[in-house]
Amino acid sequence: MMGYRFGNERGIEQICMKNDRNVSDLIQNFDYIDYIYWSDTIIRLNVPSRIDTLAELKKGSPGSGKFSVVSNNGITSNESDEPLIITHAVNNQIYKKFDYFLKIPQRHNVEIENEPIKCYLDTSISNNILLTATVKQALNDWKCQTKMNWEIVGDTTLSSGIIGDGVSLIYMDENLANDTLGVTIRVTYNLCSDINGNRFFYYDEVDIGFAKYIDGTNDKWHFDSTSNHSVPPGKYDFYTVVLHELGHALGLNHVNQSTDVLFYSSSTGVIRNLQSSPNAVDGGIYIVNQSTISNNCPGVFPITYASTEDCSETGGVINFKEYSGIKFYPNPAEQELTIEILDKSNVIQEIYMLNEVGQVVKNTQGHTNKVTIDISNLVKGFYFVKAITKSGEQTEKIIIK
């Protein structure tokens, strides 16, 4: 930061900066270790994601915007000519020991070399086709963009994250406050260093919970992770919120750019994705790259990059889709819907048809390679049809007109 009459020493002077949650709130209490250099004309500052002196004030972390300097006598300078742009925020942990005070970044590690980072779906998600499909899509979108080596390895009945159990869990939370759509709890473990001598903490587990009830009801979520989808008025886009919380699980904090998937809040009818969040993707790539560096941590290993064989790139958008060669027609449909397997050696075992809130409205047994369903009694709108076969499954969005 360049200017004049800052004073030759900082004393108790502070940089005054916008925060990451609301550009009208200001941060005026950076820690002394954040300041690298102070002279009458130049100030150098490490911009941290956590500020110890703000722990009780809960004013968030620094965000993009113009800044100013508050002098020892409380006088605030004019705002800077140009804003400070924080493209992405990487989480750091404050480390204190006696008079020893550091801010240390966090990384991912695994206990078994070359294994992926394993996470589980609670049955509150895995028993619901739309919830499961949306979580898998969002996780794989992050995986395809950043090569983060995540893998869902099964389901469990834990129903909520147990902090410190070493199990990374994704679940629907019945107890979140009405204004909280999701929460990510990152549990860090052990301070160690990589082969370059850089110190870091590593994540032992990450638990992610999503609100089961919003404003006292369970019908405020909209489920759709297809490209260019829209959200009905009064509904929250579940896919957007899952991407947001997975960004936290990756190690990213909030930013105050409203188009970014790590924007601090979400509203009804709003969709954000990784295509509109190149800065978040860059931050995720940085964390993954750092997490692959060999380390000296006892009992853990650096992560390996995820394979992107299941990712295809079209027009700059990464798509991941399970495909088992099934046709759904006609679409839109009016009276009947036919589901047909292209591979005649395969058979349809079961078909589920769900409405937009995830309720099963039809369930049909198959045991053939072509099934036709009567849909004449269903109301107009869009539905999800899941066909389960011997070799896999496929879910398709269908419109009834």
Side-chain angles (χ1 to χ4, degrees):
M1 304 174 187
M2 302 181 68
Y4 57 94
R5 289 188 289 185
F6 296 143
N8 291 324
E9 295 182 354
R10 186 174 76 87
I12 61 172
E13 291 189 357
Q14 285 277 5
I15 298 297
C16 184
M17 192 177 294
K18 309 294 186 184
N19 83 353
D20 63 351
R21 299 181 185 179
N22 189 323
V23 294
S24 65
D25 287 342
L26 300 176
I27 293 175
Q28 302 184 49
N29 299 88
F30 287 96
D31 297 312
Y32 72 90
I33 63 169
D34 299 326
Y35 291 96
I36 303 170
Y37 179 80
W38 191 291
S39 75
D40 197 48
T41 56
I42 296 176
I43 301 172
R44 293 194 179 96
L45 174 77
N46 271 331
V47 182
S49 67
R50 290 193 179 184
I51 302 172
D52 184 56
T53 50
L54 293 181
E56 297 301 321
L57 299 177
K58 297 182 179 178
K59 286 205 172 186
S61 300
S64 298
K66 294 186 176 183
F67 56 89
S68 56
V69 178
V70 181
S71 67
N72 292 332
N73 57 13
I75 298 175
T76 301
S77 71
N78 294 330
E79 284 191 329
S80 59
D81 292 333
E82 299 295 332
L84 173 70
I85 303 300
I86 296 178
T87 57
H88 57 263
V90 177
N91 192 49
N92 62 251
Q93 182 166 329
I94 294 174
Y95 177 75
K96 288 182 178 180
K97 190 172 183 180
F98 306 113
D99 59 348
Y100 198 51
F101 184 23
L102 294 174
K103 297 186 180 182
I104 298 174
Q106 296 163 306
R107 301 180 186 176
H108 296 272
N109 280 274
V110 291
E111 294 182 353
I112 301 176
E113 193 170 12
N114 298 321
E115 286 285 303
I117 296 173
K118 299 177 181 179
C119 56
Y120 291 82
L121 299 183
D122 176 68
T123 50
S124 59
I125 287 183
S126 62
N127 287 343
N128 185 301
I129 295 171
L130 294 183
L131 291 176
T132 302
T134 306
V135 169
K136 286 184 175 180
Q137 179 72 56
L139 188 144
N140 279 285
D141 284 347
W142 271 113
K143 179 179 176 180
C144 290
Q145 291 279 22
T146 66
K147 295 187 178 181
M148 179 60 176
N149 203 357
W150 275 320
E151 182 178 320
I152 295 174
V153 293
D155 56 17
T156 180
T157 56
L158 291 176
S159 75
S160 64
I162 301 175
I163 300 173
D165 63 357
V167 176
S168 293
L169 181 69
I170 304 175
Y171 61 98
M172 299 302 291
D173 193 325
E174 298 182 359
N175 301 311
L176 285 183
N178 279 337
D179 60 347
T180 304
L181 301 178
V183 61
T184 299
I185 300 174
R186 301 174 286 206
V187 180
T188 54
Y189 193 71
N190 280 358
L191 175 64
C192 55
S193 60
D194 61 27
I195 58 172
N196 300 317
N198 297 314
R199 285 176 290 193
F200 65 93
F201 286 97
Y202 62 82
Y203 294 107
D204 184 52
E205 68 176 272
V206 179
D207 296 326
I208 305 175
F210 300 104
K212 185 174 183 179
Y213 302 107
I214 304 173
D215 297 330
T217 181
N218 63 354
D219 66 352
K220 288 294 187 73
W221 285 121
H222 174 74
F223 303 104
D224 192 348
S225 58
T226 57
S227 298
N228 301 318
H229 70 276
S230 59
V231 181
K235 300 253 183 180
Y236 291 95
D237 186 43
F238 189 64
Y239 173 67
T240 294
V241 177
V242 176
L243 282 177
H244 178 98
E245 296 303 329
L246 285 173
H248 288 323
L250 191 54
L252 296 170
N253 286 352
H254 290 140
V255 294
N256 58 17
Q257 289 96 340
S258 61
T259 60
D260 196 287
V261 75
L262 268 298
F263 186 61
Y264 71 93
S265 71
S266 186
S267 304
T268 57
V270 172
I271 297 173
R272 299 185 184 97
N273 52 40
L274 299 187
Q275 183 184 13
S276 68
S277 312
N279 292 329
V281 171
D282 287 343
I285 291 171
Y286 170 81
I287 293 170
V288 171
N289 288 341
Q290 292 294 302
S291 299
T292 61
I293 299 173
S294 297
N295 60 56
N296 302 310
C297 308
V300 296
F301 302 90
I303 68 171
T304 55
Y305 292 113
S307 169
T308 56
E309 290 181 357
D310 293 320
C311 303
S312 60
E313 187 165 2
T314 305
V317 182
I318 302 294
N319 297 306
F320 179 93
K321 184 176 182 181
E322 294 178 338
Y323 182 73
S324 54
I326 305 175
K327 289 178 63 179
F328 299 76
Y329 61 92
N331 188 15
E334 293 186 53
Q335 301 295 320
E336 293 182 337
L337 176 69
T338 298
I339 300 95
E340 182 179 4
I341 298 182
L342 304 181
D343 180 3
K344 301 305 179 183
S345 65
N346 199 358
V347 297
I348 298 170
Q349 295 177 327
E350 195 163 10
I351 294 171
Y352 292 92
M353 195 165 187
L354 300 91
N355 61 19
E356 65 176 30
V357 297
Q359 298 170 327
V360 177
V361 296
K362 282 189 179 292
N363 178 216
T364 303
Q365 304 292 321
H367 305 295
T368 180
N369 53 37
K370 184 176 180 180
V371 175
T372 298
I373 302 174
D374 179 12
I375 57 172
S376 59
N377 63 333
L378 296 179
V379 298
K380 295 179 181 180
F382 73 83
Y383 295 80
F384 294 90
V385 182
K386 180 176 182 178
I388 301 173
T389 74
K390 289 193 306 180
S391 60
E393 61 185 51
Q394 184 174 331
T395 301
E396 195 79 9
K397 181 178 177 180
I398 300 296
I399 296 174
I400 295 179
K401 63 179 183 177

